[in-house]
Coordinates of all heavy atoms in Angstrom, one line a residue:
M3 N 87.8 98.7 54.4 CA 87.5 99.9 55.2 C 88.9 100.4 55.7 O 89.7 99.7 56.3 CB 86.7 99.4 56.4 CG 86.4 100.5 57.4 SD 85.1 100.1 58.5 CE 85.9 99.7 59.9
N4 N 89.1 101.6 55.4 CA 90.3 102.4 55.9 C 90.1 103.0 57.2 O 89.2 103.8 57.3 CB 90.8 103.4 54.8 CG 91.2 102.7 53.6 OD1 91.6 101.5 53.5 ND2 91.2 103.5 52.4
T5 N 91.0 102.7 58.1 CA 90.9 103.4 59.4 C 92.2 104.1 59.6 O 93.3 103.6 59.3 CB 90.6 102.4 60.5 OG1 91.6 101.4 60.6 CG2 89.3 101.8 60.4
T6 N 92.2 105.2 60.2 CA 93.4 106.0 60.6 C 93.6 106.1 62.1 O 92.6 106.2 62.8 CB 93.4 107.3 60.0 OG1 92.3 108.0 60.5 CG2 93.4 107.3 58.4
T7 N 94.8 105.9 62.6 CA 95.0 106.1 64.0 C 95.1 107.5 64.4 O 95.7 108.3 63.7 CB 96.4 105.4 64.3 OG1 96.4 104.1 63.8 CG2 96.6 105.5 65.8
P8 N 94.4 107.9 65.4 CA 94.4 109.3 65.8 C 95.8 109.7 66.3 O 96.5 108.9 66.9 CB 93.4 109.4 67.0 CG 93.2 108.0 67.4 CD 93.5 107.1 66.3
I9 N 96.2 110.9 66.0 CA 97.5 111.4 66.5 C 97.2 112.6 67.5 O 96.4 113.5 67.2 CB 98.4 111.9 65.3 CG1 98.6 110.7 64.3 CG2 99.6 112.5 65.8 CD1 99.2 111.1 63.1
F10 N 97.8 112.5 68.7 CA 97.6 113.5 69.7 C 98.9 114.3 69.8 O 100.0 113.9 69.7 CB 97.3 112.9 71.0 CG 96.0 112.0 71.0 CD1 96.0 110.7 70.8 CD2 94.7 112.7 71.1 CE1 94.9 110.0 70.7 CE2 93.6 111.9 71.0 CZ 93.7 110.6 70.8
S11 N 98.7 115.7 70.1 CA 99.7 116.6 70.4 C 100.5 116.2 71.6 O 100.0 115.9 72.6 CB 99.2 118.0 70.5 OG 100.3 118.8 70.8
K12 N 101.8 116.2 71.5 CA 102.6 115.9 72.7 C 102.8 117.2 73.5 O 103.3 117.1 74.6 CB 104.0 115.3 72.3 CG 103.8 113.9 71.6 CD 105.1 113.3 71.4 CE 105.0 112.0 70.7 NZ 104.5 110.9 71.4
N13 N 102.5 118.3 73.0 CA 102.7 119.5 73.7 C 101.7 119.7 74.8 O 102.0 120.5 75.8 CB 102.6 120.8 72.7 CG 103.7 120.7 71.7 OD1 104.7 120.1 71.9 ND2 103.4 121.2 70.5
D14 N 100.6 119.1 74.7 CA 99.5 119.3 75.7 C 99.4 118.1 76.7 O 98.4 118.0 77.3 CB 98.2 119.6 75.0 CG 98.2 120.8 74.2 OD1 98.9 121.8 74.7 OD2 97.4 121.0 73.2
D15 N 100.4 117.3 76.9 CA 100.3 116.2 77.7 C 99.9 116.5 79.1 O 99.0 115.8 79.7 CB 101.7 115.4 77.8 CG 101.9 114.4 76.6 OD1 100.9 114.3 75.9 OD2 103.0 113.9 76.4
V16 N 100.6 117.5 79.7 CA 100.3 117.9 81.1 C 98.9 118.3 81.3 O 98.1 117.8 82.2 CB 101.3 119.0 81.6 CG1 100.9 119.5 83.0 CG2 102.7 118.4 81.6
K17 N 98.4 119.2 80.4 CA 97.0 119.7 80.4 C 96.0 118.5 80.3 O 95.0 118.5 81.0 CB 96.8 120.7 79.4 CG 95.4 121.3 79.4 CD 95.3 122.4 78.4 CE 93.9 123.0 78.4 NZ 93.7 124.0 77.3
F18 N 96.3 117.6 79.3 CA 95.4 116.5 79.1 C 95.3 115.6 80.3 O 94.2 115.3 80.7 CB 96.0 115.7 77.9 CG 95.2 114.4 77.7 CD1 94.0 114.4 77.1 CD2 95.8 113.2 78.1 CE1 93.3 113.1 76.9 CE2 95.1 112.0 78.0 CZ 93.8 112.0 77.4
F19 N 96.4 115.2 80.9 CA 96.4 114.3 82.1 C 95.8 115.0 83.3 O 95.1 114.3 84.0 CB 97.7 113.7 82.4 CG 98.2 112.7 81.4 CD1 99.1 112.9 80.5 CD2 97.4 111.5 81.3 CE1 99.4 111.9 79.5 CE2 97.8 110.5 80.5 CZ 98.8 110.7 79.5
R20 N 96.0 116.3 83.5 CA 95.3 117.0 84.6 C 93.8 116.9 84.4 O 93.0 116.7 85.3 CB 95.8 118.4 84.7 CG 97.1 118.5 85.3 CD 97.5 120.0 85.6 NE 98.8 120.1 86.2 CZ 99.7 121.0 85.9 NH1 99.3 122.1 85.2 NH2 100.9 121.1 86.4
T21 N 93.4 117.2 83.2 CA 91.9 117.2 82.9 C 91.3 115.8 83.0 O 90.3 115.6 83.7 CB 91.6 117.8 81.5 OG1 92.1 119.0 81.3 CG2 90.2 117.7 81.2
L22 N 92.0 114.9 82.5 CA 91.6 113.4 82.7 C 91.5 113.0 84.1 O 90.5 112.4 84.5 CB 92.6 112.5 81.9 CG 92.2 111.1 82.0 CD1 90.9 110.8 81.3 CD2 93.3 110.2 81.3
N23 N 92.5 113.3 84.9 CA 92.6 112.9 86.3 C 91.4 113.6 87.1 O 90.8 113.0 87.9 CB 93.9 113.3 86.9 CG 94.1 112.7 88.2 OD1 93.6 111.6 88.5 ND2 94.9 113.3 89.1
K24 N 91.2 114.9 86.7 CA 90.1 115.6 87.5 C 88.8 115.0 87.1 O 87.9 114.8 88.0 CB 90.1 117.1 87.1 CG 89.0 117.8 87.7 CD 89.0 119.3 87.2 CE 87.9 120.2 87.9 NZ 86.7 119.5 88.2
R25 N 88.5 114.6 85.9 CA 87.2 114.0 85.5 C 87.0 112.7 86.1 O 85.9 112.3 86.5 CB 87.1 114.0 84.0 CG 87.0 115.3 83.3 CD 86.9 115.2 81.8 NE 86.8 116.6 81.3 CZ 86.8 116.8 80.0 NH1 86.8 115.8 79.1 NH2 86.7 118.1 79.5
V26 N 88.1 111.9 86.2 CA 88.0 110.6 86.8 C 87.7 110.7 88.3 O 86.8 110.1 88.9 CB 89.3 109.8 86.6 CG1 89.4 108.6 87.4 CG2 89.5 109.4 85.1
N27 N 88.4 111.7 88.9 CA 88.1 111.9 90.4 C 86.7 112.3 90.6 O 86.1 111.9 91.6 CB 89.1 112.9 90.9 CG 90.6 112.3 91.1 OD1 90.7 111.1 91.1 ND2 91.5 113.2 91.1
D28 N 86.3 113.2 89.8 CA 84.9 113.7 90.0 C 83.9 112.6 89.7 O 82.9 112.5 90.5 CB 84.6 114.8 88.9 CG 85.3 116.2 89.3 OD1 85.9 116.2 90.4 OD2 85.4 117.0 88.4
Y29 N 84.1 111.7 88.8 CA 83.2 110.6 88.5 C 83.1 109.7 89.8 O 82.1 109.4 90.2 CB 83.7 109.8 87.3 CG 82.9 108.6 87.1 CD1 81.7 108.6 86.4 CD2 83.3 107.3 87.6 CE1 80.9 107.5 86.1 CE2 82.6 106.2 87.4 CZ 81.4 106.3 86.6 OH 80.6 105.1 86.5
F30 N 84.3 109.4 90.3 CA 84.3 108.4 91.5 C 83.6 109.1 92.7 O 82.9 108.5 93.4 CB 85.7 108.0 91.9 CG 86.2 106.9 91.0 CD1 86.8 107.1 89.8 CD2 85.9 105.6 91.4 CE1 87.3 106.0 89.1 CE2 86.4 104.5 90.7 CZ 87.1 104.7 89.5
K31 N 83.8 110.5 92.8 CA 83.2 111.1 94.0 C 81.7 111.2 93.7 O 80.9 111.0 94.7 CB 83.8 112.6 94.0 CG 83.5 113.2 95.3 CD 84.2 114.6 95.3 CE 85.7 114.5 95.3 NZ 86.3 115.9 95.4
E32 N 81.3 111.5 92.5 CA 79.8 111.6 92.2 C 79.1 110.3 92.5 O 78.0 110.2 92.9 CB 79.7 112.1 90.8 CG 78.2 112.1 90.4 CD 78.2 112.5 88.9 OE1 78.8 113.5 88.5 OE2 77.4 111.9 88.1
K33 N 79.7 109.2 92.1 CA 79.1 107.8 92.2 C 79.4 107.2 93.6 O 79.0 106.0 93.8 CB 79.7 106.9 91.1 CG 79.5 107.4 89.7 CD 78.0 107.4 89.4 CE 77.9 107.8 87.9 NZ 76.5 107.9 87.5
N34 N 80.1 107.9 94.5 CA 80.5 107.4 95.8 C 81.2 106.0 95.6 O 80.9 105.1 96.3 CB 79.2 107.2 96.7 CG 78.7 108.6 97.1 OD1 79.4 109.5 97.3 ND2 77.4 108.6 97.1
L35 N 82.2 106.0 94.7 CA 82.9 104.8 94.5 C 84.4 105.0 95.1 O 84.9 106.1 95.1 CB 83.1 104.5 93.0 CG 81.7 104.2 92.3 CD1 82.0 104.1 90.8 CD2 81.1 103.0 92.9
K36 N 85.0 103.9 95.5 CA 86.4 103.9 95.9 C 87.3 103.6 94.7 O 86.8 102.8 93.8 CB 86.6 103.0 97.1 CG 85.9 103.3 98.3 CD 86.2 102.3 99.4 CE 85.4 102.7 100.6 NZ 85.6 101.7 101.7
K37 N 88.5 104.2 94.6 CA 89.4 103.9 93.5 C 90.1 102.6 93.7 O 90.7 102.1 92.8 CB 90.4 105.0 93.4 CG 89.8 106.3 92.8 CD 90.9 107.1 92.4 CE 90.6 108.6 92.3 NZ 91.6 109.3 91.9
Q38 N 90.0 102.0 94.9 CA 90.7 100.7 95.1 C 90.0 99.6 94.4 O 88.8 99.6 94.3 CB 90.8 100.4 96.6 CG 91.6 101.3 97.4 CD 91.6 101.0 98.8 OE1 90.6 100.6 99.4 NE2 92.7 101.1 99.6
V39 N 90.8 98.7 93.9 CA 90.3 97.6 93.1 C 89.9 96.5 94.2 O 90.7 96.1 95.0 CB 91.3 97.0 92.2 CG1 90.8 95.8 91.5 CG2 91.8 98.0 91.1
T40 N 88.7 96.0 94.1 CA 88.2 95.0 94.9 C 87.8 93.8 94.0 O 87.7 93.9 92.8 CB 87.0 95.4 95.7 OG1 85.9 95.7 94.9 CG2 87.3 96.6 96.6
G41 N 87.6 92.6 94.6 CA 87.2 91.5 93.9 C 85.7 91.5 93.5 O 85.3 90.7 92.6
N42 N 84.9 92.4 94.0 CA 83.6 92.5 93.7 C 83.4 93.2 92.3 O 83.9 94.4 92.1 CB 82.8 93.3 94.7 CG 82.8 92.5 96.0 OD1 83.1 91.4 96.1 ND2 82.6 93.3 97.1
C43 N 82.6 92.7 91.4 CA 82.3 93.3 90.2 C 80.9 93.8 90.0 O 80.4 94.0 88.9 CB 82.6 92.4 89.0 SG 84.4 92.0 88.9
T44 N 80.2 93.8 91.2 CA 78.8 94.2 91.1 C 78.6 95.6 91.7 O 79.3 96.1 92.3 CB 77.9 93.2 92.0 OG1 78.4 93.2 93.3 CG2 77.9 91.9 91.4

């Protein structure tokens, strides 16, 4: 089986990370989760 590694454009780094950060923040806000790491995994 041949697999190829995806290649991402380096020109859109800022836009990519802004979008990613916004989506992560929205997810945590929607689920009422804190971003801090705790010992609880439940």
Side-chain angles (χ1 to χ4, degrees):
M3 178 163 102
N4 293 336
T5 59
T6 58
T7 305
I9 299 171
F10 298 97
S11 171
K12 295 189 185 287
N13 297 332
D14 293 331
D15 276 351
V16 173
K17 183 179 178 185
F18 171 78
F19 284 110
R20 280 188 185 149
T21 302
L22 178 64
N23 194 28
K24 181 185 181 318
R25 290 180 183 178
V26 169
N27 288 339
D28 290 345
Y29 174 83
F30 277 89
K31 196 179 295 183
E32 177 184 310
K33 302 290 183 183
N34 293 322
L35 299 173
K36 295 180 181 178
K37 286 195 207 179
Q38 292 178 324
V39 177
T40 62
N42 299 337
C43 292
T44 57

